[in-house]
Amino acid sequence: MRILYPIGSLYPSQQGGPSNTVYWMAEALTRSGQDITVISTNVLLPANIDRDRWLQTSFGRVRYCTVSKPKWSLPVIYHSFREWHKIDIVHLNSLYHFPAFFLANWGVLTQKKVFWSVRGNLMTAALAHKSASKSVIHSWIKRFLLNRVTFHSTSPQESESILREISPKANIVEIGNGMKIPVQKKRNNKTGILYLGRIHEIKALDNLLQGYALLPQDIQSRFPLWIAGAGKAEYLRQLKDLAANLKIDDNVQWLGVITGDEKEQVLADAHILILPSHSENFGNVIIESLAQGTPVIASKGTPWSILETENIGYWVNNDPQSLGTAILALLNINESMYSSMRLRARNFVLNNFDIEMQIPFWTDKYQTNK
């Protein structure tokens, strides 16, 4: 099969979870013998990666386009057009990324198979400030694309959001994200409480800071709060001001963007990973953390109640009190119980989220869905 993935950012960029998800999937599909083309942008792309030329990689034929306006990403559309005659399937990401919406329509007009990963766009919290343009996009999809597109959801909650916001008749493929399982790192002595991801209002980092401030001072000294990721400068400044006002800034460390081995090492060293988001359709960082044996506290805005079922973390409300209580509970379990939790966490990912195990499912859906 000849499959095209146009996407706003791609590994080694760490703009968001899909940057890694599409990379892992494209690499595994390439190993399985599929013909993969990926077209992305230079958003948060490391300086050592070539732009504006085709690269032969382990995850297919890839082009990172220099874009001046990431919202529109017109070079992605242009180079997708140039590849269009070579492909059978286009797999899009995000309903509201202009190239995805444009290419969905072009794919339907040219009778290509169109798969569309919604990536949380239709979750209730994500639509809290639903704009007129989003309503127009929903109406257009319902009227012109509904029966010609296969939507991809990563959880039952996201499937429900598609059925609610688009149509009860929407054609949905539901499968959680897979990952390339990394080698488990040896832990260093230095440890902390980790948030890793986009620095964005929907992630509820203000609640996390307030929850952390409820911890006793000796706990804060032993377990600093590590915040890794990038975001808008103004919001980052607001969070740093909040930390100062809460008098926890001495124990909050802002790590910036971390990638590759450094990211895996930080995930391994962390005592806990916390994802306090108001809304997540999946949350790749959860499986990345569990793969390093690090337990997770996730908010009920995420689809991760199984953390408690499997005894590999907690699934809690994301108000400050609930987050602080969960952190203390996990810090207070004895060393033997914590070691067992770490082992279960790693095995859970190995048994459920290895991308190699998901490829037969995807190849079947690509071949059989209209």
Side-chain angles (χ1 to χ4, degrees):
M1 291 178 289
R2 301 173 299 175
I3 309 168
L4 172 66
Y5 292 91
I7 185 170
S9 64
L10 179 71
Y11 175 88
S13 168
Q14 295 297 297
Q15 168 75 355
S19 302
N20 290 325
T21 297
V22 170
Y23 156 65
W24 289 323
M25 192 166 167
E27 188 173 56
L29 284 165
T30 298
R31 283 195 296 270
S32 76
Q34 311 309 322
D35 185 351
I36 305 300
T37 300
V38 190
I39 302 175
S40 188
T41 76
N42 62 325
V43 172
L44 290 186
L45 192 67
N48 64 328
I49 303 299
D50 287 346
R51 276 82 162 158
D52 302 315
R53 73 180 186 89
W54 288 105
L55 307 174
Q56 294 295 335
T57 74
S58 63
F59 45 104
R61 192 162 156 266
V62 178
R63 189 181 188 100
Y64 296 97
C65 303
T66 300
V67 296
S68 57
K69 296 182 178 180
K71 179 180 179 180
W72 301 104
S73 296
L74 296 180
V76 173
I77 296 175
Y78 172 75
H79 288 288
S80 295
F81 274 173
R82 296 199 64 177
E83 297 299 306
W84 210 253
H85 68 286
K86 303 176 186 177
I87 68 165
D88 310 304
I89 299 163
V90 59
H91 190 144
L92 307 165
N93 288 269
S94 176
L95 289 185
Y96 309 130
H97 188 224
F98 178 71
F101 179 73
F102 188 93
L103 293 172
N105 285 274
W106 186 245
V108 167
L109 285 172
T110 55
Q111 299 184 322
K112 303 292 184 182
K113 287 186 179 181
V114 179
F115 285 73
W116 207 344
S117 294
V118 176
R119 303 299 184 202
N121 289 156
L122 299 175
M123 304 293 277
T124 300
L127 291 175
H129 304 289
K130 187 175 177 181
S131 64
S133 61
K134 290 181 180 180
S135 296
V136 169
I137 289 171
H138 295 185
S139 297
W140 183 274
I141 292 172
K142 291 175 190 177
R143 184 168 183 181
F144 297 108
L145 305 181
L146 182 63
N147 297 321
R148 301 174 183 180
V149 169
T150 298
F151 295 98
H152 167 226
S153 119
T154 58
S155 67
Q157 292 92 326
E158 186 165 43
S159 294
E160 290 171 9
S161 75
I162 296 169
L163 297 173
R164 180 183 65 249
E165 299 293 337
I166 299 299
S167 171
K169 298 179 180 179
N171 182 25
I172 299 172
V173 169
E174 182 182 302
I175 182 170
N177 294 335
M179 71 179 298
K180 181 180 180 180
I181 306 296
V183 173
Q184 189 170 8
K185 296 283 189 180
K186 183 178 180 180
R187 302 183 78 202
N188 294 318
N189 291 329
K190 182 180 178 182
T191 191
I193 298 165
L194 174 65
Y195 168 83
L196 192 157
R198 282 191 304 149
I199 309 296
H200 189 279
E201 288 88 342
I202 203 167
K203 303 297 184 176
L205 290 172
D206 52 340
N207 287 1
L208 175 57
L209 290 170
Q210 293 174 69
Y212 182 77
L214 298 175
L215 303 180
Q217 182 61 45
D218 64 315
I219 295 290
Q220 293 182 27
S221 299
R222 289 168 51 207
F223 298 94
L225 178 60
W226 299 338
I227 298 181
K232 292 182 178 178
E234 174 61 21
Y235 182 57
L236 187 59
R237 185 192 61 76
Q238 291 174 16
L239 292 175
K240 289 182 177 181
D241 287 347
L242 176 59
N245 291 335
L246 293 168
K247 302 187 187 314
I248 59 173
D249 47 325
D250 286 346
N251 293 313
V252 178
Q253 299 174 16
W254 306 87
L255 306 185
V257 176
I258 55 175
T259 61
D261 283 346
E262 182 187 10
K263 182 176 81 166
E264 298 299 341
Q265 190 64 61
V266 170
L267 284 165
D269 290 343
H271 197 83
I272 307 166
L273 175 108
I274 303 184
L275 188 61
S277 305
H278 294 302
S279 178
E280 294 281 347
N281 66 303
F282 186 75
N284 271 2
V285 71
I286 290 177
I287 57 173
E288 292 181 80
S289 179
L290 297 174
Q292 289 296 341
T294 299
V296 174
I297 296 172
S299 75
K300 290 188 176 179
T302 74
W304 281 94
S305 60
I306 199 169
L307 292 171
E308 297 196 347
T309 306
E310 297 291 328
N311 193 15
I312 51 178
Y314 297 135
W315 190 58
V316 301
N317 292 325
N318 74 342
D319 60 278
Q321 184 65 56
S322 296
L323 293 171
T325 299
I327 293 169
L328 272 179
L330 197 43
L331 291 177
N332 285 332
I333 66 174
N334 65 47
E335 186 175 341
S336 175
M337 291 176 63
Y338 181 74
S339 295
S340 296
M341 185 178 282
R342 284 181 53 79
L343 181 61
R344 286 194 300 273
R346 172 76 176 181
N347 288 335
F348 173 71
V349 173
L350 288 172
N351 293 331
N352 294 279
F353 294 99
D354 186 344
I355 190 64
E356 299 293 344
M357 297 169 58
Q358 295 181 356
I359 291 306
F361 174 90
W362 273 112
T363 53
D364 175 68
K365 291 301 178 183
Y366 282 147
Q367 289 170 341
T368 58
N369 279 46
K370 61 184 179 181

